[in-house]
Amino acid sequence: MSSEAIGKKDLSRRDLLGLTAIGTATIAGLATLGGSLRLVKPNVHFEESTQFKIGKPENFPEGTVRVFDDKNCFIFSDSDGLYAVSSICTHLGCIVSLTEWGFQCPCHGSKYNPEGHVIGGPAPRSLEWFEINQDVDGSLVVDSAKTVAAGTKYIFT
Amino acid sequence: MDGTKQSGLVKFKDNLFTVKDSLLGSFIRSGAPTSDRSRTAIMFNNFFLHVQTVKTHINTLRPSYTLGMGLIALFLMIIAFISGIFLMVYYNPSIENAFNSVKDINFVVSGGKLMRNVHKWSGEAMIIFVLFHMTRVFYTSSYLRGREFNWLIGIVLLVLTFLLNLTGYMLPWDQLSYWALVIVANIIAAPLEMTDIMGVTKYFDIGGISKELFLGGLVPGKEALNRVYLFHIMLLPAAILIILGVHFWRIRKDGGLTRPDKFDRKDTDTTYITPPDKTGDIFPTYKTYGLMELAKGKTPAVDNDVENTVLSWPNLLIAELAVMMFTLAAVVAYSFYIDAPLKELANPAIPENPAKAPWYFLGLQELVGYSAFMGGQGIPMAALLGLALIPFLDRESEHTGIWFSNKQGLTVTIISFIVGTVGLIGTLAFTIQYGWFRNWWPNIPQIVIVMINPGTIWLGFVMIWSLATIKITGSTRMGAIALFTIFLVSYIILTYTGTVLRGPNWDFFWSQSEWPIH
Ligand code: HEM
Ligand code: FES
């Protein structure tokens, strides 16, 4: 009703004042609520570091397959080098397990090939690959916050 | 001077000795409900009773009309609230203590296990009975004649009932809680699937932000548990109480429950009503009186309406008391024999296989198995929207108060039931047998799977089926019946599939006894 009134020429002074009051109250209310909602978004995450050491390169000779359960990550080593693949299913976050043909998710049956590429089920994306660096002391550090293109393999000495 | 002092003390003494009567009288201001007049007075003098009308229509009291479903849902909620407060005495919402405190409740606290069972089962039973109640309201066309808004309120109550259960089973921090939290957080993040397809995730990551707000972080942990707890014990209960208040207030304002336009008394009615007692009080024994009153309705209802009503005290209240006793007894008995599950402590490294949600979400889990976005957000939203719009798209109010409207309504219900059952089982069987697009064309773009999957195809079919019913019968009510019937059938069949027919890796099995041992 009030929006109709705005369009018309004969908007009375009382209507105008009323509308202004309601409008101001609405904007003020929404702004206050919106601002308060910022509180809900945490500035600090009390979470484990996304970087973790996995040991020296010589612990990963060609053909190694290691599962880091608590880090939700697989480490593989083949003739092209070392690589880290996430074990978190891209569908809804369950943990995939290693099979002869790739990875299998128990929750809704997503399947991935050994490169982590989706070959079945509802998963929308390939499994993530993580960046691997070498620390000054020579040990390898995986950072699960930094993803790299599938197929990125590292050679360390 | 002395005299007044004296009489003051005498007055006090008199007051003191009659305190029992005067105190009682201030509680029950209209006196004992021994006459129709005092029975009337008590209904509108008492805060808790005045929500209800002084008189109730006989149709409302017929057990075959409401089936008592709404009432049972209400009492289940009250039971869940009270038992929940007892659980809060020991429960501790931290990831270090949550699991142990629930274990304590189960194995150490006196009566703890029973209390936890009662809480769990009354909450879950709410889902069943709220759905039954909605079914009764729907099939008696009770969403019309001013009740459109109350139907919407009802949909909100249904959603709140689901949310209360969902947040509840995240609290024990066992394997079920943890993986439910992970899955729900990722369903909340499912718009990611869409923004990825559109390539705008970098600028507008609505899925990711919602997930972070829900979890209070990037991975499920102590902040997430704290937030879920806040929802479960405060925000959602407060919301459901307030909205339920509106629900009941609307029933009053909408003129009580629906009833058929042509109402005939039956002989059996006398088994659950007591006839008016027009003696005593203002009614001298040597005269007979007719009651005159104005009742809300289309025409100034005089004769009929008034004649077919009886006093709420005792007729309605005794029925309500009976339903309450029955509900409480059933919940306690069930809880005595059947224990609420508690799995192992949450283990973020290993999900269970299969990782199943509680039964009432397994229908959704089946849909989520086709596409996270469609199954977790798109299709549930569409279903809720479809349900919410029913009173606005069907306005044929002439059938209000009659189960299944008429013969045709019953036929449409039965046909839709059969078509829904056969069609959905067929769709599921096809998917289980032959897989879906990705099994045939492994490189198919994700967008095709999101848009065209067994879930969305079924949704489309249900819409076409309802429109076709409207076209063939020329009645929007018949279309609504087709829609609602298939909705119910789909919920049941999908739930059954997710619960019984899915095993490890979400593969198909006829029963749990066939699951491979691992
Ligand atoms: C927490 C959940 C709910 C509770 C406790 C509740 C409770 C009740 C109660 C006690 C009644 C009185 C009649 C009866 O028992 O059938 C009622 C009536 C009604 N309810 Fe609900 N209800 C809930 C959810 C719903 C839902 C999900 C819907 C539909 C979407 C709904 C729609 C209605 C309507 C339209 C009426 C009026 C019926 C008529 O006039 O005949 N309610 N509700
Ligand atoms: S979470 Fe892996 S398939 Fe759903």
Side-chain angles (χ1 to χ4, degrees), chain A residues 92-121:
Chain A
L92 292 174
C94 287
I95 305 299
V96 299
S97 55
L98 206 55
T99 65
E100 296 114 57
W101 41 261
F103 306 94
Q104 161 82 52
C105 180
C107 289
H108 316 91
S110 284
K111 294 176 168 59
Y112 304 83
N113 72 8
E115 259 69 66
H117 188 74
V118 188
I119 50 173

PDB file of all heavy atoms in Angstrom, chain A residues 92-121:
ATOM      1  N   LEU A  92      30.632 -35.000  -0.232  1.00  0.00           N
ATOM      2  CA  LEU A  92      30.196 -34.428   1.036  1.00  0.00           C
ATOM      3  C   LEU A  92      31.191 -34.656   2.159  1.00  0.00           C
ATOM      4  O   LEU A  92      30.835 -34.603   3.333  1.00  0.00           O
ATOM      5  CB  LEU A  92      28.817 -34.958   1.420  1.00  0.00           C
ATOM      6  CG  LEU A  92      27.675 -34.489   0.501  1.00  0.00           C
ATOM      7  CD1 LEU A  92      26.371 -35.159   0.864  1.00  0.00           C
ATOM      8  CD2 LEU A  92      27.505 -32.983   0.545  1.00  0.00           C
ATOM      9  N   GLY A  93      32.438 -34.933   1.827  1.00  0.00           N
ATOM     10  CA  GLY A  93      33.460 -34.895   2.851  1.00  0.00           C
ATOM     11  C   GLY A  93      33.780 -36.172   3.598  1.00  0.00           C
ATOM     12  O   GLY A  93      34.488 -36.131   4.599  1.00  0.00           O
ATOM     13  N   CYS A  94      33.266 -37.341   3.150  1.00  0.00           N
ATOM     14  CA  CYS A  94      33.687 -38.580   3.800  1.00  0.00           C
ATOM     15  C   CYS A  94      35.137 -38.884   3.399  1.00  0.00           C
ATOM     16  O   CYS A  94      35.713 -38.181   2.571  1.00  0.00           O
ATOM     17  CB  CYS A  94      32.783 -39.738   3.380  1.00  0.00           C
ATOM     18  SG  CYS A  94      31.167 -39.626   4.141  1.00  0.00           S
ATOM     19  N   ILE A  95      35.696 -39.928   3.981  1.00  0.00           N
ATOM     20  CA  ILE A  95      37.091 -40.257   3.712  1.00  0.00           C
ATOM     21  C   ILE A  95      37.166 -41.431   2.749  1.00  0.00           C
ATOM     22  O   ILE A  95      36.611 -42.500   3.027  1.00  0.00           O
ATOM     23  CB  ILE A  95      37.821 -40.604   5.024  1.00  0.00           C
ATOM     24  CG1 ILE A  95      37.660 -39.464   6.033  1.00  0.00           C
ATOM     25  CG2 ILE A  95      39.288 -40.901   4.766  1.00  0.00           C
ATOM     26  CD1 ILE A  95      38.228 -38.152   5.584  1.00  0.00           C
ATOM     27  N   VAL A  96      37.839 -41.238   1.632  1.00  0.00           N
ATOM     28  CA  VAL A  96      37.914 -42.310   0.641  1.00  0.00           C
ATOM     29  C   VAL A  96      38.991 -43.310   1.052  1.00  0.00           C
ATOM     30  O   VAL A  96      39.900 -42.988   1.812  1.00  0.00           O
ATOM     31  CB  VAL A  96      38.235 -41.760  -0.763  1.00  0.00           C
ATOM     32  CG1 VAL A  96      37.156 -40.798  -1.212  1.00  0.00           C
ATOM     33  CG2 VAL A  96      39.600 -41.094  -0.794  1.00  0.00           C
ATOM     34  N   SER A  97      38.854 -44.540   0.552  1.00  0.00           N
ATOM     35  CA  SER A  97      39.899 -45.518   0.831  1.00  0.00           C
ATOM     36  C   SER A  97      40.515 -45.978  -0.483  1.00  0.00           C
ATOM     37  O   SER A  97      39.933 -45.831  -1.559  1.00  0.00           O
ATOM     38  CB  SER A  97      39.317 -46.698   1.608  1.00  0.00           C
ATOM     39  OG  SER A  97      38.235 -47.222   0.888  1.00  0.00           O
ATOM     40  N   LEU A  98      41.706 -46.521  -0.354  1.00  0.00           N
ATOM     41  CA  LEU A  98      42.489 -46.920  -1.511  1.00  0.00           C
ATOM     42  C   LEU A  98      42.011 -48.292  -1.991  1.00  0.00           C
ATOM     43  O   LEU A  98      41.784 -49.190  -1.195  1.00  0.00           O
ATOM     44  CB  LEU A  98      43.952 -47.004  -1.056  1.00  0.00           C
ATOM     45  CG  LEU A  98      45.037 -46.808  -2.083  1.00  0.00           C
ATOM     46  CD1 LEU A  98      44.864 -45.489  -2.796  1.00  0.00           C
ATOM     47  CD2 LEU A  98      46.385 -46.867  -1.382  1.00  0.00           C
ATOM     48  N   THR A  99      41.839 -48.449  -3.307  1.00  0.00           N
ATOM     49  CA  THR A  99      41.489 -49.751  -3.862  1.00  0.00           C
ATOM     50  C   THR A  99      42.471 -50.062  -4.983  1.00  0.00           C
ATOM     51  O   THR A  99      43.334 -49.236  -5.291  1.00  0.00           O
ATOM     52  CB  THR A  99      40.072 -49.733  -4.450  1.00  0.00           C
ATOM     53  OG1 THR A  99      40.086 -48.838  -5.563  1.00  0.00           O
ATOM     54  CG2 THR A  99      39.050 -49.258  -3.436  1.00  0.00           C
ATOM     55  N   GLU A 100      42.305 -51.224  -5.619  1.00  0.00           N
ATOM     56  CA  GLU A 100      43.234 -51.581  -6.704  1.00  0.00           C
ATOM     57  C   GLU A 100      43.118 -50.613  -7.872  1.00  0.00           C
ATOM     58  O   GLU A 100      44.071 -50.349  -8.578  1.00  0.00           O
ATOM     59  CB  GLU A 100      42.939 -52.994  -7.234  1.00  0.00           C
ATOM     60  CG  GLU A 100      43.142 -54.100  -6.228  1.00  0.00           C
ATOM     61  CD  GLU A 100      41.827 -54.775  -5.879  1.00  0.00           C
ATOM     62  OE1 GLU A 100      41.147 -55.266  -6.789  1.00  0.00           O
ATOM     63  OE2 GLU A 100      41.481 -54.779  -4.680  1.00  0.00           O
ATOM     64  N   TRP A 101      41.897 -50.092  -8.062  1.00  0.00           N
ATOM     65  CA  TRP A 101      41.683 -49.249  -9.250  1.00  0.00           C
ATOM     66  C   TRP A 101      41.651 -47.760  -8.937  1.00  0.00           C
ATOM     67  O   TRP A 101      41.407 -46.944  -9.814  1.00  0.00           O
ATOM     68  CB  TRP A 101      40.400 -49.654  -9.956  1.00  0.00           C
ATOM     69  CG  TRP A 101      39.275 -49.955  -8.997  1.00  0.00           C
ATOM     70  CD1 TRP A 101      38.879 -51.187  -8.585  1.00  0.00           C
ATOM     71  CD2 TRP A 101      38.446 -49.013  -8.300  1.00  0.00           C
ATOM     72  NE1 TRP A 101      37.853 -51.076  -7.682  1.00  0.00           N
ATOM     73  CE2 TRP A 101      37.562 -49.772  -7.495  1.00  0.00           C
ATOM     74  CE3 TRP A 101      38.367 -47.633  -8.272  1.00  0.00           C
ATOM     75  CZ2 TRP A 101      36.617 -49.165  -6.670  1.00  0.00           C
ATOM     76  CZ3 TRP A 101      37.424 -47.034  -7.457  1.00  0.00           C
ATOM     77  CH2 TRP A 101      36.563 -47.796  -6.668  1.00  0.00           C
ATOM     78  N   GLY A 102      41.861 -47.387  -7.703  1.00  0.00           N
ATOM     79  CA  GLY A 102      41.824 -45.961  -7.384  1.00  0.00           C
ATOM     80  C   GLY A 102      41.325 -45.712  -5.973  1.00  0.00           C
ATOM     81  O   GLY A 102      41.827 -46.299  -5.024  1.00  0.00           O
ATOM     82  N   PHE A 103      40.314 -44.840  -5.841  1.00  0.00           N
ATOM     83  CA  PHE A 103      39.789 -44.511  -4.515  1.00  0.00           C
ATOM     84  C   PHE A 103      38.278 -44.723  -4.493  1.00  0.00           C
ATOM     85  O   PHE A 103      37.589 -44.450  -5.475  1.00  0.00           O
ATOM     86  CB  PHE A 103      40.082 -43.052  -4.166  1.00  0.00           C
ATOM     87  CG  PHE A 103      41.533 -42.685  -4.270  1.00  0.00           C
ATOM     88  CD1 PHE A 103      42.039 -42.124  -5.436  1.00  0.00           C
ATOM     89  CD2 PHE A 103      42.398 -42.904  -3.203  1.00  0.00           C
ATOM     90  CE1 PHE A 103      43.375 -41.783  -5.539  1.00  0.00           C
ATOM     91  CE2 PHE A 103      43.732 -42.557  -3.300  1.00  0.00           C
ATOM     92  CZ  PHE A 103      44.231 -41.997  -4.472  1.00  0.00           C
ATOM     93  N   GLN A 104      37.791 -45.171  -3.338  1.00  0.00           N
ATOM     94  CA  GLN A 104      36.360 -45.440  -3.197  1.00  0.00           C
ATOM     95  C   GLN A 104      35.844 -44.704  -1.968  1.00  0.00           C
ATOM     96  O   GLN A 104      36.452 -44.753  -0.894  1.00  0.00           O
ATOM     97  CB  GLN A 104      36.160 -46.948  -3.030  1.00  0.00           C
ATOM     98  CG  GLN A 104      34.828 -47.358  -2.440  1.00  0.00           C
ATOM     99  CD  GLN A 104      33.733 -47.388  -3.493  1.00  0.00           C
ATOM    100  OE1 GLN A 104      33.873 -48.014  -4.532  1.00  0.00           O
ATOM    101  NE2 GLN A 104      32.627 -46.698  -3.212  1.00  0.00           N
ATOM    102  N   CYS A 105      34.706 -44.004  -2.129  1.00  0.00           N
ATOM    103  CA  CYS A 105      34.103 -43.335  -0.979  1.00  0.00           C
ATOM    104  C   CYS A 105      32.959 -44.190  -0.427  1.00  0.00           C
ATOM    105  O   CYS A 105      32.126 -44.667  -1.188  1.00  0.00           O
ATOM    106  CB  CYS A 105      33.567 -41.966  -1.375  1.00  0.00           C
ATOM    107  SG  CYS A 105      32.829 -41.130   0.040  1.00  0.00           S
ATOM    108  N   PRO A 106      32.922 -44.375   0.900  1.00  0.00           N
ATOM    109  CA  PRO A 106      31.896 -45.246   1.470  1.00  0.00           C
ATOM    110  C   PRO A 106      30.514 -44.591   1.566  1.00  0.00           C
ATOM    111  O   PRO A 106      29.530 -45.284   1.713  1.00  0.00           O
ATOM    112  CB  PRO A 106      32.422 -45.536   2.878  1.00  0.00           C
ATOM    113  CG  PRO A 106      33.231 -44.335   3.219  1.00  0.00           C
ATOM    114  CD  PRO A 106      33.850 -43.884   1.929  1.00  0.00           C
ATOM    115  N   CYS A 107      30.452 -43.270   1.505  1.00  0.00           N
ATOM    116  CA  CYS A 107      29.187 -42.627   1.857  1.00  0.00           C
ATOM    117  C   CYS A 107      28.127 -42.675   0.768  1.00  0.00           C
ATOM    118  O   CYS A 107      27.005 -43.083   1.013  1.00  0.00           O
ATOM    119  CB  CYS A 107      29.437 -41.202   2.327  1.00  0.00           C
ATOM    120  SG  CYS A 107      30.220 -41.201   3.940  1.00  0.00           S
ATOM    121  N   HIS A 108      28.467 -42.233  -0.446  1.00  0.00           N
ATOM    122  CA  HIS A 108      27.471 -42.289  -1.517  1.00  0.00           C
ATOM    123  C   HIS A 108      28.071 -42.893  -2.766  1.00  0.00           C
ATOM    124  O   HIS A 108      27.634 -42.635  -3.878  1.00  0.00           O
ATOM    125  CB  HIS A 108      26.890 -40.911  -1.810  1.00  0.00           C
ATOM    126  CG  HIS A 108      26.569 -40.148  -0.566  1.00  0.00           C
ATOM    127  ND1 HIS A 108      27.486 -39.315   0.033  1.00  0.00           N
ATOM    128  CD2 HIS A 108      25.477 -40.140   0.210  1.00  0.00           C
ATOM    129  CE1 HIS A 108      26.955 -38.816   1.131  1.00  0.00           C
ATOM    130  NE2 HIS A 108      25.742 -39.301   1.273  1.00  0.00           N
ATOM    131  N   GLY A 109      29.140 -43.653  -2.544  1.00  0.00           N
ATOM    132  CA  GLY A 109      29.679 -44.457  -3.631  1.00  0.00           C
ATOM    133  C   GLY A 109      30.457 -43.728  -4.714  1.00  0.00           C
ATOM    134  O   GLY A 109      30.524 -44.201  -5.842  1.00  0.00           O
ATOM    135  N   SER A 110      31.056 -42.582  -4.422  1.00  0.00           N
ATOM    136  CA  SER A 110      31.889 -41.943  -5.453  1.00  0.00           C
ATOM    137  C   SER A 110      33.151 -42.773  -5.686  1.00  0.00           C
ATOM    138  O   SER A 110      33.695 -43.373  -4.757  1.00  0.00           O
ATOM    139  CB  SER A 110      32.280 -40.526  -5.032  1.00  0.00           C
ATOM    140  OG  SER A 110      31.191 -39.664  -5.198  1.00  0.00           O
ATOM    141  N   LYS A 111      33.603 -42.784  -6.945  1.00  0.00           N
ATOM    142  CA  LYS A 111      34.807 -43.527  -7.303  1.00  0.00           C
ATOM    143  C   LYS A 111      35.763 -42.600  -8.036  1.00  0.00           C
ATOM    144  O   LYS A 111      35.342 -41.765  -8.832  1.00  0.00           O
ATOM    145  CB  LYS A 111      34.442 -44.703  -8.215  1.00  0.00           C
ATOM    146  CG  LYS A 111      33.593 -45.759  -7.543  1.00  0.00           C
ATOM    147  CD  LYS A 111      33.209 -46.839  -8.544  1.00  0.00           C
ATOM    148  CE  LYS A 111      32.600 -48.051  -7.853  1.00  0.00           C
ATOM    149  NZ  LYS A 111      31.398 -47.721  -7.076  1.00  0.00           N
ATOM    150  N   TYR A 112      37.061 -42.772  -7.736  1.00  0.00           N
ATOM    151  CA  TYR A 112      38.080 -41.939  -8.380  1.00  0.00           C
ATOM    152  C   TYR A 112      39.162 -42.850  -8.940  1.00  0.00           C
ATOM    153  O   TYR A 112      39.440 -43.910  -8.362  1.00  0.00           O
ATOM    154  CB  TYR A 112      38.730 -40.996  -7.366  1.00  0.00           C
ATOM    155  CG  TYR A 112      37.771 -40.090  -6.619  1.00  0.00           C
ATOM    156  CD1 TYR A 112      37.087 -40.556  -5.496  1.00  0.00           C
ATOM    157  CD2 TYR A 112      37.577 -38.781  -7.019  1.00  0.00           C
ATOM    158  CE1 TYR A 112      36.221 -39.730  -4.798  1.00  0.00           C
ATOM    159  CE2 TYR A 112      36.717 -37.942  -6.320  1.00  0.00           C
ATOM    160  CZ  TYR A 112      36.047 -38.419  -5.212  1.00  0.00           C
ATOM    161  OH  TYR A 112      35.206 -37.595  -4.519  1.00  0.00           O
ATOM    162  N   ASN A 113      39.817 -42.428 -10.043  1.00  0.00           N
ATOM    163  CA  ASN A 113      40.919 -43.234 -10.569  1.00  0.00           C
ATOM    164  C   ASN A 113      42.191 -42.913  -9.774  1.00  0.00           C
ATOM    165  O   ASN A 113      42.167 -42.052  -8.892  1.00  0.00           O
ATOM    166  CB  ASN A 113      41.065 -43.010 -12.085  1.00  0.00           C
ATOM    167  CG  ASN A 113      41.637 -41.643 -12.424  1.00  0.00           C
ATOM    168  OD1 ASN A 113      42.067 -40.912 -11.523  1.00  0.00           O
ATOM    169  ND2 ASN A 113      41.637 -41.302 -13.698  1.00  0.00           N
ATOM    170  N   PRO A 114      43.321 -43.582 -10.064  1.00  0.00           N
ATOM    171  CA  PRO A 114      44.519 -43.366  -9.237  1.00  0.00           C
ATOM    172  C   PRO A 114      45.012 -41.915  -9.244  1.00  0.00           C
ATOM    173  O   PRO A 114      45.732 -41.493  -8.335  1.00  0.00           O
ATOM    174  CB  PRO A 114      45.553 -44.289  -9.885  1.00  0.00           C
ATOM    175  CG  PRO A 114      44.750 -45.360 -10.511  1.00  0.00           C
ATOM    176  CD  PRO A 114      43.500 -44.702 -11.002  1.00  0.00           C
ATOM    177  N   GLU A 115      44.612 -41.119 -10.249  1.00  0.00           N
ATOM    178  CA  GLU A 115      44.986 -39.697 -10.261  1.00  0.00           C
ATOM    179  C   GLU A 115      44.009 -38.859  -9.430  1.00  0.00           C
ATOM    180  O   GLU A 115      44.176 -37.649  -9.325  1.00  0.00           O
ATOM    181  CB  GLU A 115      44.970 -39.156 -11.692  1.00  0.00           C
ATOM    182  CG  GLU A 115      46.350 -39.033 -12.324  1.00  0.00           C
ATOM    183  CD  GLU A 115      46.964 -40.394 -12.588  1.00  0.00           C
ATOM    184  OE1 GLU A 115      46.403 -41.115 -13.431  1.00  0.00           O
ATOM    185  OE2 GLU A 115      47.961 -40.732 -11.923  1.00  0.00           O
ATOM    186  N   GLY A 116      42.958 -39.489  -8.918  1.00  0.00           N
ATOM    187  CA  GLY A 116      41.956 -38.750  -8.159  1.00  0.00           C
ATOM    188  C   GLY A 116      40.852 -38.176  -9.036  1.00  0.00           C
ATOM    189  O   GLY A 116      40.005 -37.426  -8.563  1.00  0.00           O
ATOM    190  N   HIS A 117      40.839 -38.562 -10.299  1.00  0.00           N
ATOM    191  CA  HIS A 117      39.811 -38.063 -11.206  1.00  0.00           C
ATOM    192  C   HIS A 117      38.513 -38.860 -10.998  1.00  0.00           C
ATOM    193  O   HIS A 117      38.549 -40.068 -10.861  1.00  0.00           O
ATOM    194  CB  HIS A 117      40.315 -38.205 -12.646  1.00  0.00           C
ATOM    195  CG  HIS A 117      39.425 -37.544 -13.637  1.00  0.00           C
ATOM    196  ND1 HIS A 117      39.377 -36.183 -13.784  1.00  0.00           N
ATOM    197  CD2 HIS A 117      38.530 -38.065 -14.501  1.00  0.00           C
ATOM    198  CE1 HIS A 117      38.484 -35.885 -14.716  1.00  0.00           C
ATOM    199  NE2 HIS A 117      37.951 -37.007 -15.162  1.00  0.00           N
ATOM    200  N   VAL A 118      37.372 -38.152 -10.984  1.00  0.00           N
ATOM    201  CA  VAL A 118      36.100 -38.837 -10.713  1.00  0.00           C
ATOM    202  C   VAL A 118      35.757 -39.797 -11.840  1.00  0.00           C
ATOM    203  O   VAL A 118      35.760 -39.420 -13.013  1.00  0.00           O
ATOM    204  CB  VAL A 118      34.938 -37.828 -10.595  1.00  0.00           C
ATOM    205  CG1 VAL A 118      33.686 -38.536 -10.128  1.00  0.00           C
ATOM    206  CG2 VAL A 118      35.299 -36.702  -9.660  1.00  0.00           C
ATOM    207  N   ILE A 119      35.451 -41.042 -11.497  1.00  0.00           N
ATOM    208  CA  ILE A 119      35.019 -41.977 -12.535  1.00  0.00           C
ATOM    209  C   ILE A 119      33.650 -42.557 -12.231  1.00  0.00           C
ATOM    210  O   ILE A 119      33.111 -43.334 -13.011  1.00  0.00           O
ATOM    211  CB  ILE A 119      36.042 -43.130 -12.735  1.00  0.00           C
ATOM    212  CG1 ILE A 119      36.395 -43.763 -11.381  1.00  0.00           C
ATOM    213  CG2 ILE A 119      37.276 -42.633 -13.451  1.00  0.00           C
ATOM    214  CD1 ILE A 119      37.247 -45.002 -11.515  1.00  0.00           C
ATOM    215  N   GLY A 120      33.053 -42.169 -11.113  1.00  0.00           N
ATOM    216  CA  GLY A 120      31.709 -42.685 -10.832  1.00  0.00           C
ATOM    217  C   GLY A 120      31.147 -42.033  -9.594  1.00  0.00           C
ATOM    218  O   GLY A 120      31.886 -41.480  -8.773  1.00  0.00           O
ATOM    219  N   GLY A 121      29.811 -42.070  -9.491  1.00  0.00           N
ATOM    220  CA  GLY A 121      29.173 -41.509  -8.303  1.00  0.00           C
ATOM    221  C   GLY A 121      28.977 -40.011  -8.402  1.00  0.00           C
ATOM    222  O   GLY A 121      29.263 -39.394  -9.429  1.00  0.00           O
TER     223      GLY A 121
END
